[in-house]
Amino acid sequence: MRMRDRGDGPPICGWDGKTLVVQSGAPDDDHPPFEERYSVSEDGQRLIEVVGFKSSLSAGFTMSRVWERVQ
């Protein structure tokens, strides 16, 4: 996957296989850069979100959420 350099512009997105990737944020203390990755589980019953935050003050961190499909 290749995404253009966003500078200070709006969020950019693209596909990495079947995963939607959204990159946003500016490299400052108030709004550290982050990357959101959305994918559907193999059985199609869950939406998986993984968000990675990057910071010049720390090593950054990753959080994830899973949504269950309601029938």
Side-chain angles (χ1 to χ4, degrees), residues 8 15 24-25 28 30 38-39 42 48 50 66:
D8 289 339
W15 290 96
S24 187
D28 61 33
D30 292 334
Y38 297 92
S39 58
E42 294 271 331
I48 302 162
V50 178
V66 177

Side-chain angles (χ1 to χ4, degrees), residues 16-29:
D16 183 8
K18 293 182 177 181
T19 300
L20 174 64
V21 181
V22 179
Q23 294 177 336
S24 187
D28 61 33
D29 295 339

Side-chain angles (χ1 to χ4, degrees), residues 11-67:
I12 60 170
C13 64
W15 290 96
D16 183 8
K18 293 182 177 181
T19 300
L20 174 64
V21 181
V22 179
Q23 294 177 336
S24 187
D28 61 33
D29 295 339
D30 292 334
H31 302 286
F34 62 90
E35 179 179 277
E36 301 170 286
R37 300 179 71 83
Y38 297 92
S39 58
V40 176
S41 63
E42 294 271 331
D43 63 5
Q45 298 302 306
R46 291 176 299 286
L47 175 66
I48 302 162
E49 175 190 16
V50 178
V51 182
F53 293 89
K54 301 172 185 169
S55 171
S56 60
L57 302 175
S58 71
F61 64 95
T62 300
M63 69 172 202
S64 62
R65 292 188 277 194
V66 177
W67 287 271

